[in-house]
Amino acid sequence: MKSSFSYKFLWVLATIMLVSLGINAQQKKTIYILATGGTIAGQGATEVTAGYKAGAISVNELLKAVPEIKDIAFIKAEQVANIGSQDMNDDVWLKLSKRVNELLSQSDVAGIVITHGTDTQEETAYFLNLTVKSEKPVILVGSMRPSTAISADGPRNIYNAVATAVATESIGRGVMVVMDDKILGADDLAKTNTLSVGTFQNPNYGPLGIVYNGKPIFTRQTLKRHTSNSEFDVRALDKLPRVEIILSYSNATDLFVDAAVKAHVKGIVTAGVGNGNITTALQDALAKAVKNHGIAVVRSSRIMTGPTAQWDEVADDQYGFAASWFNNPYRSRVLLMLALTKTNDYKQIQRMFSEY
Ligand code: DGL
């Protein structure tokens, strides 16, 4: 009698455990981690030295440092590249964007986390923000300390990125970067410090939110066009138009504009002084580049915050230039490359710079 009671008790207990495991498994979403390299996959000589090699360890080794992500998601990992992001390039961008689009079109994939070096993270984030055709969360994550350092920031950042990717509140917000417990929008991303773990900011608009106790808390929403509301589509492209950035400073000459014209670039972004102003020599050379060679010119600024506004000191309409508004030179270059896949009419390009 007693043994039949304990048999039944054990049977009920086992059933409850199996059902709750099943419910838990059903609730867990599938997140793909696409690795591209950077410090987050970097290896130092010792735990305390500053020097290290970016992109040294594989995605599977990297994820061993943060086993907790398996409690919140089904993780699948792929190595897309393994480079320091100073070497990020159009080929990897196109490969990444196409793979993200492919994966997100599958109904069983809930979101993507991309590990990336921090040097050009803002450019890749913006490129994906304009070329991913899905509302599902896409989060970039990096670290400022290599995986072998004391207090490496990578594992915590990866955990927070996965936690943000699985949250329903993260849907439809555009591509984001999660680092240092902050959620940052690709619409206004800037690396602001060469070494600090808190390097990333949204200097014009402020962060999208924070990650607290493994949950995203959003405090702003972007009004800029992105992802499924973007007009740009690179899925059938295997090349992007060449666009260069030219800096203005005291005494800046036409030297680099001439070189760009000779190299047959399709577009030039200026990193001007103040409100996107440029020396007269630069301005004259750029006006000729537009008129004689059909090169698209967008004025941006080397100043970190504030718009490069139309209708100020430069007569943009007279020269056929566009003004970048809140896009810094690096995002402006990405947007102009994509704009040039559709048009080189400066009025259309100006519209795009007002909307994205
Ligand atoms: N070379 C840098 C890069 O991959 C390392 C810096 C970093 O990831 O923080 O961007």
Side-chain angles (χ1 to χ4, degrees), residues 216-292:
I217 300 172
F218 287 95
T219 49
R220 93 161 156 92
Q221 187 157 316
T222 183
L223 297 176
K224 294 287 176 188
R225 289 177 69 175
H226 60 79
T227 57
S228 45
N229 187 29
S230 162
E231 69 204 88
F232 307 112
D233 192 343
V234 296
R235 285 173 293 186
L237 300 184
D238 53 18
K239 245 177 162 311
L240 294 168
R242 180 167 175 193
V243 174
E244 298 287 340
I245 299 173
I246 294 179
L247 186 69
S248 188
Y249 42 88
S250 315
N251 301 304
T253 67
D254 57 4
L255 179 76
F256 295 115
V257 177
D258 283 352
V261 169
K262 282 195 190 110
H264 303 290
V265 304
K266 298 283 180 271
I268 296 172
V269 169
T270 56
V273 293
N275 182 9
N277 293 314
I278 44 191
T279 59
T280 305
L282 258 180
Q283 187 165 295
D284 292 347
L286 288 165
K288 276 192 211 140
V290 175
K291 198 162 168 227
N292 302 339

Side-chain angles (χ1 to χ4, degrees), residues 104-284:
L104 293 183
S105 69
Q106 292 173 208
S107 57
D108 60 326
V109 178
I112 309 262
V113 169
I114 298 166
T115 60
H116 196 291
T118 58
D119 288 355
T120 58
Q121 186 152 256
E122 58 205 89
E123 295 169 50
T124 303
Y126 195 54
F127 181 75
L128 294 173
N129 197 43
L130 303 187
T131 60
V132 167
K133 303 274 159 210
S134 173
E135 300 270 296
K136 293 177 188 174
V138 176
I139 318 279
L140 275 82
V141 64
S143 76
M144 292 300 286
R145 296 178 184 143
S147 63
T148 43
I150 291 176
S151 294
D153 50 337
R156 184 183 179 91
N157 289 343
I158 292 178
Y159 183 85
N160 283 343
V162 173
T164 305
V166 294
T168 332
E169 306 91 285
S170 305
I171 293 171
R173 294 187 183 270
V175 172
M176 297 172 263
V177 164
V178 171
M179 279 182 67
D180 194 36
D181 297 343
K182 293 194 279 281
I183 308 172
L184 299 143
D187 57 353
D188 180 34
L189 192 65
K191 184 171 182 179
T192 66
N193 187 290
T194 52
L195 293 175
S196 156
V197 292
T199 184
F200 281 104
Q201 287 184 33
N202 283 154
N204 288 290
Y205 310 149
L208 292 176
I210 60 166
V211 184
Y212 179 66
N213 281 344
K215 295 264 174 281
I217 300 172
F218 287 95
T219 49
R220 93 161 156 92
Q221 187 157 316
T222 183
L223 297 176
K224 294 287 176 188
R225 289 177 69 175
H226 60 79
T227 57
S228 45
N229 187 29
S230 162
E231 69 204 88
F232 307 112
D233 192 343
V234 296
R235 285 173 293 186
L237 300 184
D238 53 18
K239 245 177 162 311
L240 294 168
R242 180 167 175 193
V243 174
E244 298 287 340
I245 299 173
I246 294 179
L247 186 69
S248 188
Y249 42 88
S250 315
N251 301 304
T253 67
D254 57 4
L255 179 76
F256 295 115
V257 177
D258 283 352
V261 169
K262 282 195 190 110
H264 303 290
V265 304
K266 298 283 180 271
I268 296 172
V269 169
T270 56
V273 293
N275 182 9
N277 293 314
I278 44 191
T279 59
T280 305
L282 258 180
Q283 187 165 295
D284 292 347

